[in-house]
Amino acid sequence: MIVGDLLELEDLRLGLAWGTPELLGRQVTGVTSTDLQDPARYLQPGELVLSGLVWWQPASGREGAALRFANSLRSAGVAALLAGEGTHGWVPPSLVDACRTHGIPLLTVPSATSFRAVTDRIYLRLWGDPGKDAGRAMALPELARQELADLLDGGEPLARVLALAVVRLGLPDCAVLSATGRVIAASGSAGAADPADGSAPHPSAIALGPAGGSPFDGWQLTPGTHPLMHGLAELLAPVAAAARSEIAARRNAAAALLDLLGTGGAADRTDLADAIGACGLAPDQELTPIAVRIDRAPAAWALDALTEALHSTGAGFVAGPDSRGEAIALVGGPVRTDLLRELLPRLQARLTSSQVLRIGVGPTVAPTATELRAALVRARYALAGADPFADADEPATLAALLRGVPVEVTDAYRQRVLGPLEEHDRENSVSLLGTLTAFLDCDGSWARTAKALHVHVNTVHYRVRRIEELIRRDLSRLPDQTDVRTALQVGRP
């Protein structure tokens, strides 16, 4: 592309204020906008310079200011100046003279033509129509790449970098998403981007760096249909890597805190406060423990799933592995269990049917060793009975208590209490287990049990006596009733 090509773009309505045929034949390498008086250090040879002429003031020093600006452009070796008429209503004659003096082609940009439109058309001419070759990756223009890289190196928010990339490169609004579709940063309307259920990579997404070790790990840039998006993804990959490194460091701090709580001794208050502070949590803030596991999946997957879920809630937290191979998080303050329940289907969608994600939430407690240890025990116990979610602070019932008992224990208990009845029912058409269940559900009422079973009350008396003989318990006694009720609620028949 040469400078003279711009005059052929009729929709931009650019005018020629000054320039020889030889100068209009200069090759164009890029475009940048500036309103600095001396922008030379920010320009690259062969670039077009867009300026709204804010630096020019008609009141004083008109010729000197224009000469200094044109000299700055000449020293940078720019291809041409595109001067906007929107600020002053015209291009100052002193600037035309200065460009003639320093050999800088000068084109005018009418106030009705936006700089964005000019930039888009220039990049379109330089790198072609993305729609004609959407699958071909292109490197970012060096000037734009360096500008974006400087912002990233300076710690600029990722959303602002994406917004600037959209402006500088003529990209569609874009977003950086997590593996499950959580918006990490976005430009404009891309903040509303969200996959249907997070069960698969976002359509046309470009991975930022290597694939993660679990279905819940990794960042992606979307949409990936524009060829320059691949160059942007390459530029953003170190940001994703840095975020992964930060997560790893926080997990190490969490593991140290969990080790301290798992020693069993009376942890020093100062050591505990330091360990909590090293995790990025306030040492005096109440904490809520959460335990997570995934059946038939590596423990690291559970940790990634837990991290992703808590990021989505917006709560401050730290998560790490414990000695049992489970993922444990400590969350600052109470946990929105309703949000965790809502997130479960999206997380589960990334797993197979045999890989069940389970979550157990403990109580919110003061950050002392004694209370945190007790809360962790309750979170782990809730996890043991989670199907797939359990909250230790849910209404207390015998059924909730029994959910956390290992199935091997409950199976053995049920067999010892109800085994004779199960053996009887396998060999007879009359179910004594059914009679026992109805009898207890009717609170030991003979008449109500007979009505429920559609039998004579004497039949109920006979069957209950037979049950008591087989299990060697007296169903008129509350302790024996409790044992039998418990056996009916646990184990596998």
Side-chain angles (χ1 to χ4, degrees):
M1 177 184 180
I2 61 175
V3 175
D5 290 338
L6 296 172
L7 298 173
E8 300 176 3
L9 304 176
E10 297 181 359
D11 57 318
L12 296 182
R13 293 176 293 176
L14 304 181
L16 178 62
W18 181 83
T20 66
E22 179 183 1
L23 294 177
L24 292 177
R26 286 178 172 176
Q27 291 291 325
V28 175
T29 61
V31 60
T32 192
S33 300
T34 182
D35 273 309
L36 295 175
Q37 174 71 62
D38 183 8
R41 62 185 180 277
Y42 301 108
L43 304 176
Q44 299 292 326
E47 281 190 318
L48 297 169
V49 175
L50 276 166
S51 178
L53 308 183
V54 175
W55 53 267
W56 186 83
Q57 298 296 327
S60 60
R62 293 180 293 178
E63 292 77 7
L67 283 169
R68 286 194 298 275
F69 183 73
N71 180 61
S72 179
L73 301 187
R74 181 189 60 79
S75 66
V78 303
L81 169 64
L82 280 67
E85 297 177 334
T87 302
H88 304 291
W90 75 95
V91 174
S94 60
L95 180 59
V96 178
D97 294 338
C99 287
R100 182 182 295 110
T101 298
H102 289 287
I104 305 295
L106 174 60
L107 279 64
T108 60
V109 182
S111 57
T113 300
S114 70
F115 279 11
R116 170 67 185 273
V118 175
T119 301
D120 286 351
R121 291 303 302 277
I122 292 172
Y123 280 132
L124 193 63
R125 290 295 295 267
L126 285 175
W127 296 296
D129 185 352
K132 294 179 180 179
D133 194 6
R136 181 167 61 92
M138 294 183 179
L140 299 182
E142 179 56 29
L143 183 63
R145 191 202 67 79
Q146 189 58 54
E147 182 180 13
L148 297 173
D150 289 344
L151 289 175
L152 291 172
D153 291 343
E156 198 70 26
L158 186 54
R160 185 174 184 277
V161 175
L162 293 177
L164 186 62
V166 168
V167 173
R168 291 287 188 268
L169 303 173
L171 300 173
D173 278 325
C174 52
V176 173
L177 308 177
S178 71
T180 63
R182 174 175 54 88
V183 177
I184 296 168
S187 69
S189 60
D194 199 25
D197 59 6
S199 60
H202 194 284
S204 76
I206 304 172
L208 299 185
S214 81
F216 310 99
D217 185 27
W219 286 7
Q220 51 190 335
L221 178 66
T222 185
T225 51
H226 194 291
L228 289 178
M229 292 291 278
H230 292 271
L232 181 59
E234 182 179 352
L235 184 67
L236 297 178
V239 180
R244 184 178 279 120
S245 297
E246 182 181 350
I247 290 173
R250 285 174 58 83
R251 287 180 178 178
N252 289 336
L257 173 58
L258 293 172
D259 285 344
L260 183 63
L261 291 172
T263 57
D268 183 87
R269 289 178 60 88
T270 301
D271 289 344
L272 182 59
D274 289 345
I276 293 174
C279 293
L281 299 171
D284 57 348
Q285 185 179 21
E286 289 188 327
L287 299 173
T288 304
I290 300 178
V292 171
R293 76 166 185 274
I294 300 177
D295 299 345
R296 300 178 180 85
W301 288 25
L303 192 52
D304 287 339
L306 177 57
T307 300
E308 180 66 13
L310 291 176
H311 271 307
S312 297
T313 67
F317 72 95
V318 65
D322 72 350
S323 58
R324 306 183 183 190
E326 297 169 348
I328 301 293
L330 294 174
V331 182
V335 173
R336 287 284 305 278
T337 55
D338 57 328
L339 291 182
L340 288 180
R341 290 180 189 272
E342 291 176 7
L343 287 166
L344 259 175
R346 169 171 289 186
L347 299 173
Q348 182 62 51
R350 300 190 65 79
L351 300 167
T352 66
S353 58
S354 64
Q355 296 171 325
V356 180
L357 172 63
R358 304 183 189 278
I359 300 178
V361 180
T364 303
V365 298
T368 66
T370 301
E371 295 207 39
L372 279 175
R373 285 184 183 127
L376 277 169
V377 169
R378 293 182 62 184
R380 289 175 174 131
Y381 194 82
L383 174 62
D387 188 26
F389 187 94
D391 183 355
D393 280 337
E394 287 179 344
T397 64
L398 177 61
L401 177 65
L402 295 174
R403 278 199 298 267
V405 179
V407 67
E408 294 82 2
V409 175
T410 57
D411 280 353
Y413 181 82
R414 179 185 178 100
Q415 180 59 32
R416 290 185 63 185
V417 176
L418 302 178
L421 299 186
E422 292 173 348
E423 183 178 351
H424 171 277
D425 287 358
R426 283 193 293 269
E427 299 175 357
N428 296 273
S429 59
V430 175
S431 172
L432 293 184
L433 270 176
T435 300
L436 175 61
T437 301
F439 183 68
L440 295 177
D441 287 345
C442 293
D443 300 321
S445 169
W446 308 99
R448 286 165 53 199
T449 304
K451 184 176 181 180
L453 296 176
H454 306 289
V455 297
H456 194 277
V457 68
N458 290 339
T459 303
V460 175
H461 278 278
Y462 170 77
R463 291 183 184 177
V464 170
R465 283 197 300 270
R466 182 58 179 152
I467 290 170
E468 291 175 331
E469 291 173 0
L470 290 173
I471 65 175
R472 298 181 180 180
R473 296 178 189 267
D474 183 353
L475 294 181
S476 66
R477 298 180 64 250
L478 182 59
D480 286 349
Q481 282 192 21
T482 302
D483 291 345
V484 175
R485 284 182 185 274
T486 301
L488 286 169
Q489 294 187 54
V490 300
R492 292 167 292 192

